[in-house]
Amino acid sequence: MQARAEARYRWDHGERPALLHTTEEVDSLIDSLLSGPVYENLAQIHSLERDSMPSGFPDHELLVGVDRDLQVGILTYLDSSGNVVTLGSLGRSPVYYIQGHMTEFPANSEIPIDLVRRGVKEFLSSGGRRPTCVQWQAVHP
């Protein structure tokens, strides 16, 4: 079975990303983020079903982060139309870590873990399109 997406979230994924073929593997990814090191709770995902830019880089990106203590998470999506982040109800400005590197997100951007799972599964099954099962807000620099 051909991989549909690749994910980077552990130190060793730089050259060898985790490959996602099925929705069950999405659940495994989320579970791994929830149970893994605190400084590796954010994953970068690219669909392998989309064309790359002329530079060879993906034309999109989905970031997925989880907070094991609060059982919430975050999704961000970037493509040529702009950068958006999930719209949630918690007022804090969360911080997540990808391969030890800190990324801060806007307040009110965290959503329940079950919505995070649904969003990543939709991304995978849609060929890398922005998930519609969550609400989005624009990210302002």
Side-chain angles (χ1 to χ4, degrees):
M1 175 186 301
Q2 185 173 357
R4 299 167 73 184
E6 60 184 21
R8 290 177 174 83
Y9 56 99
R10 299 284 184 249
W11 287 105
D12 61 341
H13 289 160
E15 295 296 319
R16 291 188 335 261
L19 299 177
L20 303 174
H21 303 84
T22 66
T23 57
E24 291 81 11
E25 289 173 331
V26 169
D27 283 328
S28 293
L29 164 74
I30 302 296
D31 292 343
S32 180
L33 290 172
L34 284 167
S35 64
V38 174
Y39 292 104
E40 292 182 346
N41 64 355
L42 180 67
Q44 175 190 61
I45 304 174
H46 297 114
S47 174
L48 298 174
E49 298 181 84
R50 290 179 62 141
D51 292 331
S52 296
M53 295 186 299
S55 64
F57 291 101
D59 69 345
H60 68 289
E61 175 178 275
L62 179 73
L63 292 179
V64 54
V66 300
D67 183 310
R68 73 178 75 169
D69 296 327
L70 296 178
Q71 290 295 294
V72 295
I74 191 166
L75 297 174
T76 68
Y77 186 83
L78 171 67
D79 68 4
S80 61
S81 67
N83 190 359
V84 293
V85 63
T86 44
L87 177 61
S89 59
L90 291 180
R92 72 184 192 132
S93 295
V95 173
Y96 291 91
Y97 299 85
I98 184 165
Q99 297 174 328
H101 300 283
M102 180 183 86
T103 303
E104 188 173 352
F105 295 94
N108 298 321
S109 55
E110 291 176 300
I111 59 175
I113 289 291
D114 65 319
L115 272 178
V116 171
R117 288 181 192 275
R118 285 179 45 206
V120 179
K121 289 175 183 179
E122 184 179 337
F123 173 83
L124 185 69
S125 67
S126 72
R129 291 192 180 96
R130 182 170 70 173
T132 60
C133 66
V134 297
Q135 291 185 308
W136 298 97
Q137 60 182 318
V139 175
H140 302 288

